[in-house]
PDB file of all heavy atoms in Angstrom:
ATOM      1  N   ASN A 167     -41.716  60.555-133.478  1.00 43.00           N
ATOM      2  CA  ASN A 167     -42.622  59.607-132.930  1.00 43.00           C
ATOM      3  C   ASN A 167     -43.287  60.182-131.620  1.00 43.00           C
ATOM      4  O   ASN A 167     -44.068  59.507-130.976  1.00 43.00           O
ATOM      5  CB  ASN A 167     -41.953  58.342-132.560  1.00 43.00           C
ATOM      6  CG  ASN A 167     -41.660  57.524-133.797  1.00 43.00           C
ATOM      7  OD1 ASN A 167     -42.501  57.487-134.677  1.00 43.00           O
ATOM      8  ND2 ASN A 167     -40.521  56.866-133.911  1.00 43.00           N
ATOM      9  N   GLY A 168     -42.991  61.403-131.269  1.00 45.00           N
ATOM     10  CA  GLY A 168     -43.592  62.068-130.142  1.00 45.00           C
ATOM     11  C   GLY A 168     -42.998  61.586-128.792  1.00 45.00           C
ATOM     12  O   GLY A 168     -43.540  61.848-127.739  1.00 45.00           O
ATOM     13  N   LEU A 169     -41.878  60.859-128.862  1.00 40.00           N
ATOM     14  CA  LEU A 169     -41.223  60.413-127.643  1.00 40.00           C
ATOM     15  C   LEU A 169     -40.224  61.471-127.199  1.00 40.00           C
ATOM     16  O   LEU A 169     -39.684  62.233-128.011  1.00 40.00           O
ATOM     17  CB  LEU A 169     -40.463  59.143-127.896  1.00 40.00           C
ATOM     18  CG  LEU A 169     -41.337  57.939-128.370  1.00 40.00           C
ATOM     19  CD1 LEU A 169     -40.372  56.788-128.769  1.00 40.00           C
ATOM     20  CD2 LEU A 169     -42.256  57.520-127.280  1.00 40.00           C
ATOM     21  N   PRO A 170     -39.913  61.556-125.918  1.00 39.00           N
ATOM     22  CA  PRO A 170     -38.836  62.460-125.495  1.00 39.00           C
ATOM     23  C   PRO A 170     -37.562  62.041-126.149  1.00 39.00           C
ATOM     24  O   PRO A 170     -37.255  60.870-126.327  1.00 39.00           O
ATOM     25  CB  PRO A 170     -38.762  62.263-123.994  1.00 39.00           C
ATOM     26  CG  PRO A 170     -40.054  61.602-123.593  1.00 39.00           C
ATOM     27  CD  PRO A 170     -40.509  60.866-124.782  1.00 39.00           C
ATOM     28  N   ALA A 171     -36.796  63.017-126.655  1.00 40.00           N
ATOM     29  CA  ALA A 171     -35.573  62.743-127.318  1.00 40.00           C
ATOM     30  C   ALA A 171     -34.623  61.879-126.455  1.00 40.00           C
ATOM     31  O   ALA A 171     -33.830  61.112-126.949  1.00 40.00           O
ATOM     32  CB  ALA A 171     -34.850  64.007-127.718  1.00 40.00           C
ATOM     33  N   ALA A 172     -34.731  62.024-125.121  1.00 35.00           N
ATOM     34  CA  ALA A 172     -33.873  61.280-124.257  1.00 35.00           C
ATOM     35  C   ALA A 172     -34.072  59.775-124.323  1.00 35.00           C
ATOM     36  O   ALA A 172     -33.236  59.022-123.990  1.00 35.00           O
ATOM     37  CB  ALA A 172     -34.095  61.729-122.779  1.00 35.00           C
ATOM     38  N   CYS A 173     -35.254  59.370-124.854  1.00 33.00           N
ATOM     39  CA  CYS A 173     -35.511  57.928-124.978  1.00 33.00           C
ATOM     40  C   CYS A 173     -34.868  57.337-126.206  1.00 33.00           C
ATOM     41  O   CYS A 173     -34.819  56.160-126.358  1.00 33.00           O
ATOM     42  CB  CYS A 173     -37.037  57.693-125.068  1.00 33.00           C
ATOM     43  SG  CYS A 173     -37.908  58.121-123.558  1.00 33.00           S
ATOM     44  N   ALA A 174     -34.343  58.158-127.096  1.00 35.00           N
ATOM     45  CA  ALA A 174     -33.854  57.696-128.356  1.00 35.00           C
ATOM     46  C   ALA A 174     -32.578  56.835-128.164  1.00 35.00           C
ATOM     47  O   ALA A 174     -32.400  55.834-128.831  1.00 35.00           O
ATOM     48  CB  ALA A 174     -33.518  58.833-129.301  1.00 35.00           C
ATOM     49  N   GLN A 175     -31.733  57.183-127.274  1.00 34.00           N
ATOM     50  CA  GLN A 175     -30.451  56.508-127.077  1.00 34.00           C
ATOM     51  C   GLN A 175     -29.989  56.919-125.725  1.00 34.00           C
ATOM     52  O   GLN A 175     -30.071  58.023-125.323  1.00 34.00           O
ATOM     53  CB  GLN A 175     -29.487  56.954-128.213  1.00 34.00           C
ATOM     54  CG  GLN A 175     -28.246  56.159-128.296  1.00 34.00           C
ATOM     55  CD  GLN A 175     -28.456  54.710-128.750  1.00 34.00           C
ATOM     56  OE1 GLN A 175     -29.333  54.028-128.276  1.00 34.00           O
ATOM     57  NE2 GLN A 175     -27.691  54.296-129.695  1.00 34.00           N
ATOM     58  N   LYS A 176     -29.372  55.953-125.047  1.00 31.00           N
ATOM     59  CA  LYS A 176     -28.854  56.199-123.671  1.00 31.00           C
ATOM     60  C   LYS A 176     -27.938  57.433-123.662  1.00 31.00           C
ATOM     61  O   LYS A 176     -28.065  58.284-122.782  1.00 31.00           O
ATOM     62  CB  LYS A 176     -28.106  54.982-123.200  1.00 31.00           C
ATOM     63  CG  LYS A 176     -28.191  54.740-121.749  1.00 31.00           C
ATOM     64  CD  LYS A 176     -27.393  53.527-121.394  1.00 31.00           C
ATOM     65  CE  LYS A 176     -28.223  52.622-120.539  1.00 31.00           C
ATOM     66  NZ  LYS A 176     -27.521  51.484-120.044  1.00 31.00           N
ATOM     67  N   SER A 177     -27.021  57.513-124.618  1.00 40.00           N
ATOM     68  CA  SER A 177     -26.067  58.627-124.605  1.00 40.00           C
ATOM     69  C   SER A 177     -26.675  59.954-125.024  1.00 40.00           C
ATOM     70  O   SER A 177     -26.046  60.985-124.936  1.00 40.00           O
ATOM     71  CB  SER A 177     -24.873  58.306-125.497  1.00 40.00           C
ATOM     72  OG  SER A 177     -25.260  58.155-126.803  1.00 40.00           O
ATOM     73  N   SER A 178     -27.923  59.990-125.490  1.00 58.00           N
ATOM     74  CA  SER A 178     -28.534  61.230-125.904  1.00 58.00           C
ATOM     75  C   SER A 178     -29.451  61.737-124.760  1.00 58.00           C
ATOM     76  O   SER A 178     -30.289  62.548-125.014  1.00 58.00           O
ATOM     77  CB  SER A 178     -29.356  61.042-127.196  1.00 58.00           C
ATOM     78  OG  SER A 178     -30.403  60.179-127.018  1.00 58.00           O
ATOM     79  N   ALA A 179     -29.204  61.255-123.549  1.00 63.00           N
ATOM     80  CA  ALA A 179     -30.037  61.671-122.431  1.00 63.00           C
ATOM     81  C   ALA A 179     -29.973  63.184-122.156  1.00 63.00           C
ATOM     82  O   ALA A 179     -30.800  63.765-121.562  1.00 63.00           O
ATOM     83  CB  ALA A 179     -29.614  60.920-121.141  1.00 63.00           C
ATOM     84  N   GLU A 180     -28.903  63.781-122.689  1.00 69.00           N
ATOM     85  CA  GLU A 180     -28.729  65.251-122.532  1.00 69.00           C
ATOM     86  C   GLU A 180     -29.455  66.028-123.570  1.00 69.00           C
ATOM     87  O   GLU A 180     -29.398  67.235-123.570  1.00 69.00           O
ATOM     88  CB  GLU A 180     -27.248  65.551-122.548  1.00 69.00           C
ATOM     89  CG  GLU A 180     -26.507  64.965-121.333  1.00 69.00           C
ATOM     90  CD  GLU A 180     -25.044  65.230-121.373  1.00 69.00           C
ATOM     91  OE1 GLU A 180     -24.542  65.854-122.316  1.00 69.00           O
ATOM     92  OE2 GLU A 180     -24.367  64.862-120.386  1.00 69.00           O
ATOM     93  N   ALA A 181     -30.098  65.395-124.549  1.00 85.00           N
ATOM     94  CA  ALA A 181     -30.849  66.085-125.623  1.00 85.00           C
ATOM     95  C   ALA A 181     -32.010  66.835-124.982  1.00 85.00           C
ATOM     96  O   ALA A 181     -32.680  66.299-124.132  1.00 85.00           O
ATOM     97  CB  ALA A 181     -31.296  65.063-126.708  1.00 85.00           C
ATOM     98  N   PRO A 182     -32.265  68.002-125.468  1.00 95.00           N
ATOM     99  CA  PRO A 182     -33.426  68.762-124.984  1.00 95.00           C
ATOM    100  C   PRO A 182     -34.710  67.985-125.281  1.00 95.00           C
ATOM    101  O   PRO A 182     -34.837  67.320-126.234  1.00 95.00           O
ATOM    102  CB  PRO A 182     -33.407  70.050-125.757  1.00 95.00           C
ATOM    103  CG  PRO A 182     -32.028  70.136-126.366  1.00 95.00           C
ATOM    104  CD  PRO A 182     -31.539  68.750-126.501  1.00 95.00           C
ATOM    105  N   GLN A 183     -35.718  68.174-124.395  1.00 96.00           N
ATOM    106  CA  GLN A 183     -37.029  67.614-124.576  1.00 96.00           C
ATOM    107  C   GLN A 183     -37.931  68.744-125.118  1.00 96.00           C
ATOM    108  O   GLN A 183     -37.996  69.837-124.514  1.00 96.00           O
ATOM    109  CB  GLN A 183     -37.600  67.117-123.281  1.00 96.00           C
ATOM    110  CG  GLN A 183     -36.814  65.917-122.734  1.00 96.00           C
ATOM    111  CD  GLN A 183     -37.380  65.433-121.401  1.00 96.00           C
ATOM    112  OE1 GLN A 183     -38.248  66.091-120.739  1.00 96.00           O
ATOM    113  NE2 GLN A 183     -36.918  64.308-120.975  1.00 96.00           N
ATOM    114  N   ILE A 184     -38.586  68.499-126.257  1.00 97.00           N
ATOM    115  CA  ILE A 184     -39.415  69.482-126.899  1.00 97.00           C
ATOM    116  C   ILE A 184     -40.862  69.026-126.712  1.00 97.00           C
ATOM    117  O   ILE A 184     -41.209  67.855-126.920  1.00 97.00           O
ATOM    118  CB  ILE A 184     -39.104  69.528-128.392  1.00 97.00           C
ATOM    119  CG1 ILE A 184     -37.620  69.677-128.662  1.00 97.00           C
ATOM    120  CG2 ILE A 184     -39.893  70.631-129.052  1.00 97.00           C
ATOM    121  CD1 ILE A 184     -36.977  70.949-128.107  1.00 97.00           C
ATOM    122  N   SER A 185     -41.729  69.963-126.336  1.00 96.00           N
ATOM    123  CA  SER A 185     -43.175  69.631-126.130  1.00 96.00           C
ATOM    124  C   SER A 185     -44.050  70.842-126.473  1.00 96.00           C
ATOM    125  O   SER A 185     -43.540  71.956-126.675  1.00 96.00           O
ATOM    126  CB  SER A 185     -43.417  69.234-124.652  1.00 96.00           C
ATOM    127  OG  SER A 185     -43.118  70.261-123.765  1.00 96.00           O
ATOM    128  N   ASP A 186     -45.338  70.565-126.572  1.00 96.00           N
ATOM    129  CA  ASP A 186     -46.399  71.592-126.821  1.00 96.00           C
ATOM    130  C   ASP A 186     -45.983  72.446-128.034  1.00 96.00           C
ATOM    131  O   ASP A 186     -46.073  73.700-127.998  1.00 96.00           O
ATOM    132  CB  ASP A 186     -46.564  72.487-125.596  1.00 96.00           C
ATOM    133  CG  ASP A 186     -46.963  71.696-124.401  1.00 96.00           C
ATOM    134  OD1 ASP A 186     -47.771  70.718-124.555  1.00 96.00           O
ATOM    135  OD2 ASP A 186     -46.533  72.050-123.284  1.00 96.00           O
ATOM    136  N   VAL A 187     -45.650  71.786-129.133  1.00 97.00           N
ATOM    137  CA  VAL A 187     -45.256  72.493-130.363  1.00 97.00           C
ATOM    138  C   VAL A 187     -46.475  72.891-131.155  1.00 97.00           C
ATOM    139  O   VAL A 187     -47.313  72.023-131.529  1.00 97.00           O
ATOM    140  CB  VAL A 187     -44.335  71.620-131.228  1.00 97.00           C
ATOM    141  CG1 VAL A 187     -43.789  72.425-132.401  1.00 97.00           C
ATOM    142  CG2 VAL A 187     -43.140  71.100-130.379  1.00 97.00           C
ATOM    143  N   TRP A 188     -46.640  74.201-131.470  1.00 97.00           N
ATOM    144  CA  TRP A 188     -47.727  74.649-132.300  1.00 97.00           C
ATOM    145  C   TRP A 188     -47.367  75.830-133.106  1.00 97.00           C
ATOM    146  O   TRP A 188     -46.365  76.489-132.802  1.00 97.00           O
ATOM    147  CB  TRP A 188     -49.008  74.862-131.458  1.00 97.00           C
ATOM    148  CG  TRP A 188     -48.976  75.972-130.461  1.00 97.00           C
ATOM    149  CD1 TRP A 188     -48.395  75.953-129.249  1.00 97.00           C
ATOM    150  CD2 TRP A 188     -49.541  77.270-130.598  1.00 97.00           C
ATOM    151  NE1 TRP A 188     -48.578  77.148-128.621  1.00 97.00           N
ATOM    152  CE2 TRP A 188     -49.325  77.976-129.416  1.00 97.00           C
ATOM    153  CE3 TRP A 188     -50.275  77.880-131.622  1.00 97.00           C
ATOM    154  CZ2 TRP A 188     -49.710  79.302-129.237  1.00 97.00           C
ATOM    155  CZ3 TRP A 188     -50.708  79.207-131.426  1.00 97.00           C
ATOM    156  CH2 TRP A 188     -50.424  79.894-130.243  1.00 97.00           C
ATOM    157  N   ILE A 189     -48.141  76.140-134.112  1.00 97.00           N
ATOM    158  CA  ILE A 189     -47.876  77.259-134.980  1.00 97.00           C
ATOM    159  C   ILE A 189     -49.186  77.977-135.242  1.00 97.00           C
ATOM    160  O   ILE A 189     -50.237  77.363-135.271  1.00 97.00           O
ATOM    161  CB  ILE A 189     -47.195  76.747-136.273  1.00 97.00           C
ATOM    162  CG1 ILE A 189     -46.732  77.891-137.167  1.00 97.00           C
ATOM    163  CG2 ILE A 189     -48.154  75.853-137.077  1.00 97.00           C
ATOM    164  CD1 ILE A 189     -45.828  77.397-138.298  1.00 97.00           C
ATOM    165  N   LYS A 190     -49.130  79.313-135.485  1.00 96.00           N
ATOM    166  CA  LYS A 190     -50.318  80.021-135.718  1.00 96.00           C
ATOM    167  C   LYS A 190     -50.678  79.869-137.145  1.00 96.00           C
ATOM    168  O   LYS A 190     -49.879  79.961-138.083  1.00 96.00           O
ATOM    169  CB  LYS A 190     -50.110  81.549-135.478  1.00 96.00           C
ATOM    170  CG  LYS A 190     -50.144  81.881-134.026  1.00 96.00           C
ATOM    171  CD  LYS A 190     -50.177  83.395-133.880  1.00 96.00           C
ATOM    172  CE  LYS A 190     -50.207  83.740-132.411  1.00 96.00           C
ATOM    173  NZ  LYS A 190     -50.030  85.153-132.184  1.00 96.00           N
ATOM    174  N   ALA A 191     -51.987  79.644-137.405  1.00 96.00           N
ATOM    175  CA  ALA A 191     -52.508  79.634-138.759  1.00 96.00           C
ATOM    176  C   ALA A 191     -52.399  81.089-139.267  1.00 96.00           C
ATOM    177  O   ALA A 191     -52.504  82.037-138.506  1.00 96.00           O
ATOM    178  CB  ALA A 191     -54.003  79.190-138.736  1.00 96.00           C
ATOM    179  N   THR A 192     -52.145  81.217-140.600  1.00 95.00           N
ATOM    180  CA  THR A 192     -51.983  82.537-141.148  1.00 95.00           C
ATOM    181  C   THR A 192     -53.372  83.157-141.330  1.00 95.00           C
ATOM    182  O   THR A 192     -54.376  82.465-141.490  1.00 95.00           O
ATOM    183  CB  THR A 192     -51.267  82.499-142.517  1.00 95.00           C
ATOM    184  OG1 THR A 192     -51.949  81.574-143.356  1.00 95.00           O
ATOM    185  CG2 THR A 192     -49.790  82.121-142.346  1.00 95.00           C
ATOM    186  N   ILE A 193     -53.426  84.469-141.267  1.00 92.00           N
ATOM    187  CA  ILE A 193     -54.672  85.153-141.524  1.00 92.00           C
ATOM    188  C   ILE A 193     -54.704  85.497-143.019  1.00 92.00           C
ATOM    189  O   ILE A 193     -53.691  85.616-143.658  1.00 92.00           O
ATOM    190  CB  ILE A 193     -54.809  86.427-140.615  1.00 92.00           C
ATOM    191  CG1 ILE A 193     -53.651  87.447-140.859  1.00 92.00           C
ATOM    192  CG2 ILE A 193     -54.908  86.081-139.210  1.00 92.00           C
ATOM    193  CD1 ILE A 193     -53.847  88.769-140.160  1.00 92.00           C
TER     194      ILE A 193
END
Side-chain angles (χ1 to χ4, degrees):
N167 286 320
L169 300 172
C173 294
Q175 189 69 312
K176 212 181 231 186
S177 63
S178 64
E180 296 177 356
Q183 295 178 351
I184 311 298
S185 61
D186 302 323
V187 185
W188 65 281
I189 190 168
K190 281 190 182 173
T192 54
I193 58 173

